[in-house]
Amino acid sequence: MKIEEIKSILKLNGPRLAYQSLDGMNWKQITFNDIKTNIDYINSYLIKKDLVNKNVLSLSSNCIESYILESLLMDLGSKLSFASQNILLDVQFNMEFDIVIVDSLEEILDNHILKNVVKDKIVISIANFKKSKEISDLCISLQNIYKIGLLSRKDSKEREKELSINFIDKFSIIESNKLKFYSLNDMKNFMKRNEFHFNSINENEFSTSLYLKKDLFSKSLNLFFLKNKNKFTNNKSVKSLLININEIMPINLIIDSDSLREIIKLCYVNKVKFSELTGSKIKKIITYNMAAGENLEMLKNDKIDLVNLNN
């Protein structure tokens, strides 16, 4: 969705709680107004630094912060490609990029292959970090982008009038070791077919997502949440989900099929029910392209409704 359409959703809901994020040991509540303000800051920064019409690779997990950043880059004419780190390590990758988005710099510094991918590139980290000799001056955190964007809004508005933006309505995703192309219209049609699953979620219910795959659903997920006023959190690993789930106490779990399979396997290994491992509050699981014939008896025993979306 274009950024102006996202902003209209945010404006409509104003001070309403949108999502929660873990800030150190504490949960931080983010409103629709907060997201709208962050959009203004990011937009100012990107224009100030002339980060328009670029080639961008996103390796970040499917969190709301990366979704907003990616949408703004696309709105400013950048060509976006998405890949998970695991797949990126398995395929021959010959595409050139100007900007790489990551969850944190730690995962780059610990992997020599990823170090080569981001070498001499602008790297935007969703998580904050401390400067060190190992970290290039081309690396910046999203928090610093907010700060610089706040201070440069006036100058950016003047600069924006002079920009020549080559808007591209397509993006690419590496899925199953193949590069697949989608358009914004593809995403719009996908949302039309599946939106009722999110629209039916009660506004008082809390949802949480663990979606590590890169596919059409991953690029629609956070927009589903915002558009339907679903209060939510995002997770970046099975471990973080299981650690925090009793604090979040979600009714709805949105999860990729691989992560769901991993959690079910953990239940069998530890001889516990799904509800014992993930919290007894979960009543509905939404996933995408779950293969037929999967052993889902455990979910049925806990009376959890499974929704398996498809194209």
Side-chain angles (χ1 to χ4, degrees):
M1 184 175 281
K2 292 184 179 180
I3 203 69
E4 287 304 319
E5 295 177 65
I6 296 173
K7 286 169 79 172
S8 68
I9 294 170
L10 300 174
K11 185 177 180 180
L12 188 65
N13 292 287
R16 183 193 293 266
L17 175 65
Y19 74 103
Q20 291 185 170
S21 65
L22 196 57
D23 184 12
M25 298 295 290
N26 301 311
W27 287 98
K28 186 177 180 182
Q29 296 192 328
I30 312 295
T31 67
F32 285 83
N33 278 340
D34 293 330
I35 300 172
K36 188 173 181 295
T37 299
N38 289 341
I39 284 176
D40 293 337
Y41 295 163
I42 297 170
N43 191 64
S44 294
Y45 176 84
L46 295 177
I47 291 170
K48 175 183 173 64
K49 297 296 183 178
D50 201 27
L51 299 180
V52 300
N53 304 326
K54 301 295 184 181
N55 287 327
V56 179
L57 171 65
S58 179
L59 298 176
S60 71
S61 58
N62 298 302
C63 63
I64 182 66
E65 293 88 355
S66 62
Y67 172 71
I68 293 297
L69 173 60
E70 291 154 6
S71 298
L72 279 161
L73 283 161
M74 193 171 189
D75 203 61
L76 290 172
S78 289
K79 181 180 178 182
L80 266 74
S81 298
F82 301 92
S84 65
Q85 290 186 26
N86 290 339
I87 286 181
L88 190 65
L89 299 178
D90 291 339
V91 298
Q92 187 67 34
F93 208 68
N94 297 315
M95 301 174 71
E96 286 294 323
F97 298 98
D98 307 299
I99 302 170
V100 180
I101 304 170
V102 298
D103 285 325
S104 71
L105 288 186
E106 288 179 4
E107 57 203 30
I108 301 299
L109 297 175
D110 292 341
N111 191 301
H112 73 279
I113 296 177
L114 293 178
K115 271 186 182 180
N116 288 331
V117 171
V118 303
K119 187 178 180 181
D120 300 325
K121 310 288 191 299
I122 296 168
V123 178
I124 300 176
S125 170
I126 302 301
N128 219 343
F129 61 87
K130 291 182 179 179
K131 279 286 187 181
S132 69
K133 292 179 180 179
E134 286 184 287
I135 297 174
S136 163
D137 290 337
L138 292 173
C139 299
I140 186 166
S141 71
L142 197 55
Q143 285 300 319
N144 278 337
I145 286 177
Y146 294 156
K147 291 175 185 176
I148 297 170
L150 168 63
L151 299 173
S152 58
R153 281 186 298 175
K154 186 176 179 180
D155 293 339
S156 296
K157 284 181 180 178
E158 293 299 317
R159 171 76 179 113
E160 192 168 10
K161 297 173 185 176
E162 305 168 3
L163 291 178
S164 178
I165 295 170
N166 304 318
F167 182 74
I168 301 171
D169 75 338
K170 290 183 171 59
F171 56 92
S172 61
I173 302 176
I174 298 179
E175 292 181 58
S176 303
N177 294 356
K178 293 180 181 178
L179 193 63
K180 297 185 179 180
F181 292 88
Y182 298 97
S183 67
L184 291 182
N185 201 48
D186 292 329
M187 192 168 81
K188 187 176 180 180
N189 290 335
F190 176 83
M191 292 192 69
K192 277 183 180 179
R193 290 192 297 272
N194 295 293
E195 189 165 1
F196 70 94
H197 293 297
F198 290 83
N199 189 254
S200 64
I201 294 174
N202 190 295
E203 289 185 18
N204 295 320
E205 294 178 2
F206 217 91
S207 301
T208 192
S209 73
L210 172 62
Y211 210 94
L212 307 182
K213 280 186 174 181
K214 303 292 184 180
D215 52 34
L216 197 55
F217 185 32
S218 73
K219 296 301 108 192
S220 311
L221 173 57
N222 287 290
L223 186 53
F224 273 131
F225 284 144
L226 293 176
K227 199 172 181 183
N228 294 286
K229 301 184 283 290
N230 306 138
K231 297 190 287 289
F232 67 98
T233 60
N234 300 127
N235 297 275
K236 295 179 181 178
S237 68
V238 169
K239 183 180 178 180
S240 69
L241 172 71
L242 297 180
I243 287 173
N244 298 317
I245 201 156
N246 286 323
E247 290 187 50
I248 303 166
M249 298 186 73
I251 302 294
N252 309 285
L253 171 62
I254 292 79
I255 187 168
D256 66 83
S257 56
D258 289 346
S259 296
L260 178 56
R261 197 177 294 113
E262 183 178 344
I263 292 176
I264 290 173
K265 184 178 179 181
L266 282 172
C267 290
Y268 281 116
V269 168
N270 291 283
K271 298 180 180 179
V272 295
K273 294 180 179 179
F274 190 88
S275 57
E276 290 176 321
L277 193 65
T278 61
S280 58
K281 290 282 186 178
I282 293 176
K283 302 300 179 188
K284 181 189 286 185
I285 293 175
I286 302 176
T287 190
Y288 177 62
N289 278 351
M290 190 80 176
E294 291 282 352
N295 183 6
L296 303 174
E297 195 66 31
M298 184 172 285
L299 303 183
K300 293 178 183 177
N301 292 339
D302 275 337
K303 297 180 180 179
I304 297 173
D305 182 23
L306 177 68
V307 177
N308 186 18
L309 307 182
N310 52 57
N311 286 328

